[in-house]
Amino acid sequence: MKDGLIKFSDIMTIPTYISADDAVRSIKSGNRVFIHGSAATPVHLVKALQQRHWELSDVEFVSITTVGDIEFFNPAHRESFFFNSLFVSANTRSVVNSDYGDYIPIFLSQIPQLFKTGRLPIDVALIQVSPPDSNGYCSLGTSVDIARAAVDTAKTVIALVNPNMPRTHGDGFVHINKISAMVWHEDVLPEVDYSARTRDVTIKIGKNVASLIEDGATLQVGIGAIPDQVLRNLNHHKNLGLHTEMFSDGVIPLIKNGVINNSLKKLNRGKSVTSFMLGTKKLYDFVNDNPAIQVKDIGYVNDTSIIRQNPKVVAINSALELDLTGQVCADSLGTYQYSGIGGQMDFIHGASLSEGGVPIIALPSVTSKGESRIVPFLKEGAGVVTTRGHIHWVVTEYGIVDLFGKSLKQRARALINLAHPDHRETLEKAFCDRFGSYYRPALSSISDRVFHPIV
């Protein structure tokens, strides 16, 4: 491809390309710049912009999960760039928790509203897309999520065009007339593979969660070792559906062998619905030009009123820690912002309203350092993502319990039984300190029932 200025009439669909340095030159001090996320993070464009740090000030970055070799926490950029994160990822934690970054607590489903209503207007959107087709349409590929609203509302759209970006069906098509500058850059997409990260604890949790999933259920599964293990236990299920904010490689075998066929969903029947994905090249090849996979706007995928319409929605989410009353912290370690609210509440609440729905918080009983994740009180400054009014099923390697309808004392007793044995004595003492040593169980034995793991 030859460099050149891109100018299109209404009928022209043949693009020309310019360099990344020339493309980002239109970005000015004080601009708010959206960065496409996950596997679609336009690393080449971001680095080109960062090289201009000496001539820029107060440029605000806005994004959710960014992936790739980008250094956002650089003292030399202190006066040039400010990172205002909508969901914190590994390469943004340092900057978000510093003086030149911040975090906006928000449900993933409502982020498009920030852009569309002008509460958080976007000056420039940096995106990564597939090459345009014969009609001039590129695809947002692996990540439509909040990028759809950013592209629709941004004053300027700069696109990194990568032939390795899969062309996905759904809401992600962008015509070249909408794009202000295009940069051709061929590069492999970032890959994440959780299949090799198997531990005994994860295997047990995966089996426990899978035991709650009935035939005909609609799944929300994320990325990680636990979701991957859950999916491995579903090979003998029938007529499952997929409506999830994100997914990875684990769903591929289930779709190929017909376990996930989406035949019983009320919405998007016959289609697997997601908003973004992150995995290996196998995943990117699988979704490329695959009409059975619909990649849609996060405002639709995570809308509780949409989620609840499908049958038996099983929402599988995790936590950093969980207190004895059922409060879930999933976004922070005390005051340290570790991730974000994301879509957990969108799907926990949506699943709870679905007919036969099963909202699940699944977590190992201890951290990698052996600290209990089930605690008497959340750490000082910790954020509550799922409230104790929304909590239902909790799963660890030690069992399963449904907290819905349980009193504070019943919840505490049930959760202590799910904790690691090394920490149960401490939790028992915390129970007595808070509620007294005498405990009278409810008349119905089901109220305190703990389902032990399947091994």
Side-chain angles (χ1 to χ4, degrees), residues 81 109 135 176 183 222 255 311 366 385 396 422:
F81 306 112
S109 60
N135 294 308
I176 56 178
V183 176
I255 295 174
V366 295
V385 171
T396 72
D422 290 350

Side-chain angles (χ1 to χ4, degrees), residues 75-150:
H77 298 170
R78 186 183 186 92
E79 303 300 325
S80 306
F81 306 112
F82 185 88
F83 202 107
N84 204 0
S85 182
L86 297 161
F87 189 91
V88 183
S89 52
N91 64 359
T92 60
R93 285 187 192 119
S94 294
V95 67
V96 167
N97 286 280
S98 75
D99 290 339
Y100 45 113
D102 207 348
Y103 164 67
I104 300 175
I106 188 169
F107 297 144
L108 200 52
S109 60
Q110 293 187 308
I111 294 175
Q113 294 180 30
L114 295 180
F115 303 158
K116 293 176 180 179
T117 62
R119 285 182 178 268
L120 202 69
I122 303 299
D123 294 305
V124 181
L126 301 181
I127 61 174
Q128 184 171 185
V129 297
S130 67
D133 62 16
S134 59
N135 294 308
Y137 284 94
C138 302
S139 168
L140 291 170
T142 58
S143 299
V144 173
D145 47 65
I146 69 171
R148 177 74 272 169

Side-chain angles (χ1 to χ4, degrees), residues 160-213:
L160 187 73
V161 182
N162 185 355
N164 291 316
M165 175 61 72
R167 181 179 180 79
T168 57
H169 292 245
D171 297 337
F173 292 114
V174 180
H175 197 273
I176 56 178
N177 287 344
K178 176 66 177 175
I179 300 173
S180 308
M182 301 178 75
V183 176
W184 183 272
H185 183 75
E186 184 171 353
D187 200 359
V188 296
L189 297 184
E191 297 186 47
V192 176
D193 185 4
Y194 284 90
S195 62
R197 305 183 188 184
T198 302
R199 299 186 301 141
D200 288 344
V201 167
T202 306
I203 292 172
K204 291 176 181 178
I205 295 172
K207 289 181 178 179
N208 287 345
V209 172
S211 72
L212 296 174
I213 300 174

Side-chain angles (χ1 to χ4, degrees), residues 271-292:
K271 307 289 185 182
S272 292
V273 173
T274 188
S275 193
F276 59 106
M277 59 199 71
L278 180 63
T280 68
K281 186 176 184 300
K282 180 180 178 181
L283 174 71
Y284 306 143
D285 290 342
F286 178 72
V287 301
N288 184 47
D289 201 24
N290 186 344

Side-chain angles (χ1 to χ4, degrees), residues 336-351:
Y336 184 84
Q337 199 63 46
Y338 186 81
S339 60
I341 291 174
Q344 181 170 125
M345 266 300 300
D346 294 331
F347 274 92
I348 288 290
H349 192 46

